[in-house]
Amino acid sequence: MVNIKIPDNPQYQALTLTLKTLKRKRGPTIEALHRAQEIFGYIPEEAMYLISKELGVPVSTIYGIVTFYHFFRTESIAKYLVNICQGTACHVKGADKILRIVSDELGIKVGETTPDNLFTLSTARCFGCCGLAPVMIVNEDIYGNLTEEKAVEVLREYKKKEENN
Amino acid sequence: MAKKNTILICNGAACISSGEERIKEKLINKLSEKNLTEEVDIIETGCMGPCQFGPLMIVYPEGSFYIKLNEDKIARIVEEHLLKGRPVKEFTWATPESRRIGEEKKQLPFFEKQFKIVLSNCGRIDPDSIEEYIGTGGYEALGKVINEMTPEQVIDEIYKSGLRGRGGAGFPTGLKWKFAREASGNEKYVICNGDEGDPGAFMDRSICEGDPHAVIEGMEIAGYAIGANQGYIYIRAEYPLAVKRLQNSIQQAKKYGLLGKNIFGSSFNFDIEIRMGAGAFVCGEETALIASVEGKRGMPRPRPPFPANHGLWDKPTIINNVETLANIRHIIIKGSNWFNSIGTEKSKGTKVFALSGKVNNTGLVEVPMGITIKELIFNIGGGIPNNKKFKAVQIGGPSGGCIPENSIDVPVDYESLTNLGVIMGSGGLIVLDEDNCMVNMAKFFLDFTVDESCGQCIPCRAGLRQMYNILNRITRGKGELEDIDRLEKLSNIIKKTSLCGLGQTAPNPILTTLKTFRDEYIEHIVEKKCRAHVCRFEDAEVKDKDEKILKVS
């Protein structure tokens, strides 16, 4: 096994603690990964090794699961995760235009992070808010019935908030 | 003392994102300012349906249905309606007709043709309160089966009701239960499939958020019927609110002795655990779902053996959709004859649909089986916005297809829809108008299924990708007429040879559009023209999907 040093900090301690309880459940791997992503915002390599060690599952299997599911990320994200829904209802109501303008506004492509580490741009398949299509989610906040202007406005609000801080 | 007014505020996901929290806060402040706090009850409910018009609230006893609320409107409503007893008519959702008679919700065309069984509590009770659920007859069905019925009688009742799986395929629920009951072994499982992966579908989400106890009660009855003591709810991680409400409901039910050990003082034990999905469309397929509940990659496996014999951890397992389970308690209490009397000859009961796309009233609706697609879109949905022309309706998500204008008189039942080459699916209905390009829609769905293919079997993994590349060429003006034959040929091979439902149904969006909108395909190829002005032809270079990856040998 590759010798990976698992950092000793509060985040990893919290994960270790969670894993000790999860261990008692049957088939806990996916749940463990959810907890890890909650703690770190993504799933770092070291966390995969820690989960592997604690649950007794080969790290290759863990990596296979992480990369199979869209929900898990292996790259860190910025303070604000901007998710543009590309579901069917949003698509027929012009989600591609929203994505284009947001990408222009932030100056990044899907999957990228702005240099100031404020925004990461991402797309999603459907949030189940189709009644409000097209939809954009920034972290937990949902913005519906978007127009190109409204989307830009929302992002500028976030930028302004940061400048004031 | 009875309060003067009761206010129901919609706390569904769509209304929350339209600012429900702010509205509620304003309402509470304004009420206390006017010393009305003691006279008004405020109840936050699940989804009321017409999401387009959120935030929503209903004020009883008048039944005034206020829509598109903002803080100014709330201030007016408190002063006029709640203080002086004069409903503010201009803020209510009303047709000229209903405005004259009164504001009763029932009179609105959006609600008039609906028939609510599964959604009967959604938008009427506080989903976080088990007391309110019990107040509507909740857990009565569970008590009845445990105290008065044998498992066989329960299965028989469900079978006779004619209830079929609401996840899309329409397998008779009673039969599924019977197979699992008869399977040998003491350890059996009930799984609730809440992995609503179809883009454009939000029925299960709304049920879990609006009436979570109904799902739990349905699972317990299923567990009693097949002889299982453990259930799992598999739900999308993208639905945090639904997860929270289900978790809360499980805790409450346990506290009341309605879940856990010795339910209703009997020897029946049943526990429920929530398992979160992680964003894989293929996990809606039952064998893939089982793998995912076990914590593995969600790869489907060949059937038989069916999960009823070899399911979760290789034990007999039934997998029922959220909506199917939410029907159970009503059938037990009102009887199979009652349920059987609703719907068509082969499709009984109601179906919940999520209406979205180019339609005036988007939202969540429940209709009796047999209603026509036309009624759904033009009566309940209120037609197409901006005087645009209706083109087609997409049903069944990426596994479904498009119903064109000349077929919208089709009744909503499993067989009629299958005859059209589409499927009932889980209930997403996306309306398309003249500004939507059908070739682009076909490409959109293939883009989805290519990404979601688990990669296990070749027809799905490689075949769908080839189809996508062909469609991509056509939408860029680089297609040739032979491409249409190639698409049809590939579609038929993929349908016949794929391992699981994802691959077997993935060509449906292409086949249905090729059948009814073939002229649009030809127009793209021959005239390099897109009548909806969606496709752009100026781009000279056309890249295949993930070209980089394909070139690695």
Side-chain angles (χ1 to χ4, degrees), chain B residues 149-179:
Chain B
M149 296 169 85
T150 65
E152 285 76 16
Q153 282 172 327
V154 176
I155 291 174
D156 198 45
E157 193 68 14
I158 299 299
Y159 182 73
K160 279 194 303 203
S161 76
L163 176 66
R164 295 167 67 173
R166 297 293 191 248
F171 192 79
T173 307
L175 207 56
K176 204 181 228 182
W177 290 13
K178 187 164 174 273
F179 291 150

Side-chain angles (χ1 to χ4, degrees), chain A residues 26-27 64 69-70 91 127, chain B residues 205 275 277 296-297 440 452:
Chain A
R26 244 174 138 177
Y69 293 99
H70 300 295
H91 177 77
F127 293 112
Chain B
R205 166 193 196 141
R275 292 270 159 136
K296 302 179 198 151
R297 284 163 72 101
N440 173 276
E452 296 296 333

Side-chain angles (χ1 to χ4, degrees), chain B residues 154-362:
Chain B
V154 176
I155 291 174
D156 198 45
E157 193 68 14
I158 299 299
Y159 182 73
K160 279 194 303 203
S161 76
L163 176 66
R164 295 167 67 173
R166 297 293 191 248
F171 192 79
T173 307
L175 207 56
K176 204 181 228 182
W177 290 13
K178 187 164 174 273
F179 291 150
R181 170 93 207 154
E182 286 166 357
S184 57
N186 295 326
E187 197 185 326
K188 295 177 184 178
Y189 295 99
V190 175
I191 298 179
C192 167
N193 183 353
D195 188 48
E196 193 167 50
D198 297 20
F202 50 94
M203 301 75 52
D204 294 351
R205 166 193 196 141
S206 305
I207 297 167
C208 291
E209 288 176 1
D211 197 13
H213 284 287
V215 180
I216 292 169
E217 189 175 359
M219 286 180 76
E220 291 189 70
I221 295 170
Y224 177 79
I226 68 161
N229 302 116
Q230 177 69 46
Y232 290 93
I233 301 176
Y234 185 80
I235 189 157
R236 294 181 73 195
E238 288 88 340
Y239 292 175
L241 185 64
V243 174
K244 205 179 98 202
R245 289 197 181 149
L246 283 166
Q247 258 157 357
N248 178 49
S249 303
I250 290 172
Q251 292 308 327
Q252 288 179 339
K254 280 187 178 166
K255 216 172 95 194
Y256 275 68
L258 297 167
L259 183 68
K261 290 220 181 315
N262 305 110
I263 297 165
F264 277 110
S266 73
S267 60
F268 175 56
N269 304 328
F270 194 79
D271 203 356
I272 293 176
E273 199 186 297
I274 294 174
R275 292 270 159 136
M276 280 206 279
F281 176 64
V282 70
C283 288
E285 199 278 340
E286 52 182 19
T287 58
L289 188 149
I290 287 172
S292 189
V293 172
E294 290 173 352
K296 302 179 198 151
R297 284 163 72 101
M299 308 278 257
R301 61 159 176 79
R303 294 177 307 176
F306 287 95
N309 293 304
H310 295 273
L312 189 63
W313 291 299
D314 211 26
K315 305 290 184 215
T317 303
I318 53 162
I319 298 159
N320 282 137
N321 163 271
V322 169
E323 191 185 334
T324 314
L325 289 166
N327 267 299
I328 302 295
R329 73 175 185 110
H330 299 281
I331 298 173
I332 296 293
I333 292 296
K334 295 185 184 155
S336 54
N337 284 334
W338 163 79
F339 193 79
N340 215 289
S341 68
I342 307 158
T344 66
E345 196 197 333
K346 286 183 174 170
S347 304
K348 302 297 184 186
T350 59
K351 180 79 195 82
V352 181
F353 285 101
L355 261 181
S356 63
K358 306 285 183 66
V359 60
N360 276 315
N361 309 336
T362 62

Side-chain angles (χ1 to χ4, degrees), chain B residues 106-180:
Chain B
K106 285 195 278 294
Q107 290 156 355
L108 293 164
F110 181 79
F111 293 102
E112 209 184 350
K113 291 206 175 204
Q114 292 197 49
F115 188 100
K116 297 201 174 188
I117 299 175
V118 171
L119 297 182
S120 56
N121 277 343
C122 275
R124 283 189 55 219
I125 63 164
D126 175 359
D128 276 328
S129 159
I130 191 170
E131 290 85 0
E132 288 198 16
Y133 178 71
I134 293 170
T136 67
Y139 291 107
E140 243 172 65
L142 180 66
K144 185 176 169 188
V145 302
I146 290 176
N147 292 317
E148 299 169 23
M149 296 169 85
T150 65
E152 285 76 16
Q153 282 172 327
V154 176
I155 291 174
D156 198 45
E157 193 68 14
I158 299 299
Y159 182 73
K160 279 194 303 203
S161 76
L163 176 66
R164 295 167 67 173
R166 297 293 191 248
F171 192 79
T173 307
L175 207 56
K176 204 181 228 182
W177 290 13
K178 187 164 174 273
F179 291 150

Side-chain angles (χ1 to χ4, degrees), chain B residues 345-512:
Chain B
E345 196 197 333
K346 286 183 174 170
S347 304
K348 302 297 184 186
T350 59
K351 180 79 195 82
V352 181
F353 285 101
L355 261 181
S356 63
K358 306 285 183 66
V359 60
N360 276 315
N361 309 336
T362 62
L364 191 72
V365 303
E366 181 172 357
V367 290
M369 294 277 191
I371 194 172
T372 65
I373 292 284
K374 192 174 176 179
E375 286 173 286
L376 255 170
I377 295 167
F378 289 94
N379 294 79
I380 295 173
I384 317 299
N386 308 324
N387 292 321
K388 294 281 181 181
K389 202 171 164 304
F390 171 85
K391 191 174 211 173
V393 58
Q394 210 284 336
I395 183 169
S399 309
C402 291
I403 302 174
E405 198 180 3
N406 61 17
S407 303
I408 55 170
D409 281 321
V410 64
V412 171
D413 69 62
Y414 294 96
E415 281 72 25
S416 304
L417 291 170
T418 309
N419 288 342
L420 276 182
V422 298
I423 57 164
M424 173 83 80
S426 57
L429 275 183
I430 295 143
V431 182
L432 310 175
D433 70 4
E434 55 188 311
D435 291 339
N436 294 114
C437 166
M438 300 314 286
V439 189
N440 173 276
M441 280 310 289
K443 183 175 117 176
F444 169 80
F445 281 114
L446 265 184
D447 183 34
F448 181 87
T449 36
V450 168
D451 279 349
E452 296 296 333
S453 171
C454 81
Q456 198 177 185
C457 70
I458 295 166
C460 177
R461 182 183 68 215
L464 293 179
R465 195 173 286 266
Q466 292 309 320
M467 285 177 70
Y468 175 87
N469 291 342
I470 293 172
L471 282 171
N472 197 26
R473 289 204 298 267
I474 295 176
T475 54
R476 298 294 183 84
K478 305 275 174 198
E480 41 190 277
L481 280 173
E482 291 77 17
D483 280 340
I484 293 181
D485 300 332
R486 289 188 192 115
L487 282 174
E488 277 174 340
K489 198 173 158 199
L490 271 168
S491 292
N492 290 323
I493 294 173
I494 295 167
K495 265 177 101 87
K496 279 187 200 137
T497 54
S498 291
L499 173 72
C500 82
L502 188 152
Q504 288 158 13
T505 57
N508 285 351
I510 291 83
L511 288 173
T512 54

